[in-house]
Amino acid sequence: MKRYLLFILTVVVAFQVGCKDVVRKEIVEVEEPEHSSIEVAVEDKLIIDRSEDLSDYVVELFGVDDAATIIFNDVALVSVIMAYDTELTDDTKEMINNLVLEKDQEISQVVISNDEKTFFQIVEIMGDLMNGSSYDKYVGQISKLVEKNK
């Protein structure tokens, strides 16, 4: 009986030592990167923040399911996806226009689109800008989007 207990005790101790080594190895092997944040230029960040704020305001309007906004100089291009069984009417466009001009005094013109392709292009550009791409890289593309939707 003593041999049996001694054998079980030896096995338990061996497993505990082995488990501790595995835990130590995992802790030693895990390393965090030194620089995990992405830097965005201050001016670009301000434009991104203003664009996001405007989108948040527009989404709160009745009938608007989603909105994406991008600012180009003093022009805001707002692309909306309307809720099911809701259309983008002249009244809705006027509400969006007034809201954007009220919330951002640096905007002098609002261009409104209901085109899904334009919406997803704006979302893609904004995503790239938030991930650190330069605003200058997209100036031509944004300018074309604005002109296309005027």
Side-chain angles (χ1 to χ4, degrees), residues 3-17:
R3 286 184 182 174
Y4 181 71
L5 286 175
L6 187 60
F7 176 73
I8 291 177
L9 184 62
T10 305
V11 171
V12 169
V13 170
F15 279 127
Q16 285 181 344
V17 170

Side-chain angles (χ1 to χ4, degrees), residues 92-110:
T92 308
K93 286 182 180 180
E94 187 176 332
M95 281 193 319
I96 292 170
N97 187 50
N98 292 338
L99 179 67
V100 170
L101 292 174
E102 176 187 324
K103 295 297 183 180
D104 192 330
Q105 283 72 35
E106 294 181 41
I107 301 295
S108 65
Q109 182 183 5
V110 181

Side-chain angles (χ1 to χ4, degrees), residues 56-68:
D56 291 342
Y57 291 127
V58 172
V59 165
E60 292 177 5
L61 293 175
F62 178 76
V64 177
D65 205 24
D66 207 351

Side-chain angles (χ1 to χ4, degrees), residues 65-101:
D65 205 24
D66 207 351
T69 305
I70 193 156
I71 296 173
F72 182 68
N73 296 325
D74 62 342
V75 178
L77 172 59
V78 180
S79 184
V80 295
I81 294 180
M82 300 303 290
Y84 181 74
D85 283 344
T86 308
E87 292 183 19
L88 182 63
T89 62
D90 289 336
D91 289 338
T92 308
K93 286 182 180 180
E94 187 176 332
M95 281 193 319
I96 292 170
N97 187 50
N98 292 338
L99 179 67
V100 170
L101 292 174

